[in-house]
Amino acid sequence: MGKQSRYPALTLTVIHADERGSPKNRKKIEWKLLTDLPVQSRGDAIEKLEWYSLRWKIEVFHKILKSGCRAEDSQLRTAQRLTNLISVFCIVSWRIFWMTMLNRSAPNASPEFVLTKAEIQLLDRLVKDKNPASTQRKTLSHYLIKIARLGGYLARANDPPPGNLIMWRGLSRFIDIATGATL
């Protein structure tokens, strides 16, 4: 009540969305969203719901930036240096997130989609295959799991796919090794 005089009135729209049907083994999704964006039609409401559904990706990106890159731990003294560092960290964070999601959505893609031939050769020499007798085509997932193994991923049969922080640790270590091999 005391802050009403300091802030202008705010007009909000409530978007209430219910999942159609009755899903098995879980509760029905029900969202109630508040927005100050204009919602004039059903299409506008659906657009805002689609935006909200992407929120978790933004949160994961920021978690990689904060926990993986440790952006908050930098002790740079000027805003320009901090801006430059965060710009590089954003690219690295995006790559980690992209590789993690690719491993889940397109595991059979070609490894050249993400890695250079030199990186593939280095991974083949650096991380031995769990099943060396296998003659199957080596997929993107095969190489991303090798990177994850550098970050501590055990790659056991029942383990879930590696997550972003494991991929961060593995890629960080792999980049250091690749830089040393290049030098």
Side-chain angles (χ1 to χ4, degrees):
M1 295 296 284
K3 295 181 181 182
Q4 285 181 352
S5 62
R6 286 187 265 166
Y7 298 101
L10 186 61
T11 303
L12 298 174
T13 301
V14 177
I15 302 172
H16 185 191
D18 281 329
E19 183 177 20
R20 290 184 181 170
S22 296
K24 296 178 181 175
N25 301 328
R26 66 174 172 81
K27 290 173 62 176
K28 203 172 164 178
I29 295 173
E30 180 181 354
W31 285 349
K32 291 178 185 164
L33 305 176
L34 294 175
T35 181
D36 62 347
L37 298 171
V39 180
Q40 303 299 326
S41 67
R42 182 176 185 197
D44 289 347
I46 291 171
E47 177 185 51
K48 303 319 181 259
L49 289 168
E50 287 173 347
W51 291 353
Y52 186 77
S53 70
L54 298 174
R55 182 176 170 203
W56 75 270
K57 290 182 180 181
I58 296 166
E59 290 179 10
V60 169
F61 171 81
H62 282 96
K63 181 179 180 183
I64 298 167
L65 192 62
K66 184 178 177 180
S67 301
C69 296
R70 294 179 146 153
E72 293 176 336
D73 291 349
S74 65
Q75 296 183 5
L76 300 176
R77 295 182 184 185
T78 67
Q80 183 62 44
R81 289 177 182 168
L82 189 57
T83 301
N84 292 341
L85 179 68
I86 290 174
S87 298
V88 171
F89 282 171
C90 282
I91 294 167
V92 172
S93 296
W94 169 83
R95 187 172 188 214
I96 297 293
F97 185 57
W98 177 64
M99 288 177 12
T100 303
M101 292 299 105
L102 266 179
N103 191 33
R104 295 175 186 178
S105 63
N108 295 321
S110 171
E112 286 88 6
F113 192 63
V114 173
L115 303 166
T116 65
K117 289 197 183 297
E119 288 172 328
I120 291 169
Q121 289 173 346
L122 183 58
L123 278 169
D124 281 335
R125 294 182 74 191
L126 185 63
V127 182
K128 300 301 175 203
D129 291 332
K130 288 228 173 204
N131 184 4
S134 175
T135 58
Q136 293 179 342
R137 178 178 82 81
K138 294 181 179 173
T139 62
L140 174 63
S141 180
H142 177 81
Y143 285 99
L144 293 181
I145 287 175
K146 282 187 174 201
I147 291 172
R149 286 176 54 200
L150 291 173
Y153 182 67
L154 299 176
R156 296 173 296 210
N158 292 329
D159 285 346
N164 291 298
L165 294 181
I166 290 290
M167 290 301 295
W168 162 258
R169 283 193 291 242
L171 186 64
S172 178
R173 185 164 179 229
F174 179 62
I175 289 170
D176 289 345
I177 293 167
T179 302
T182 303
L183 294 174

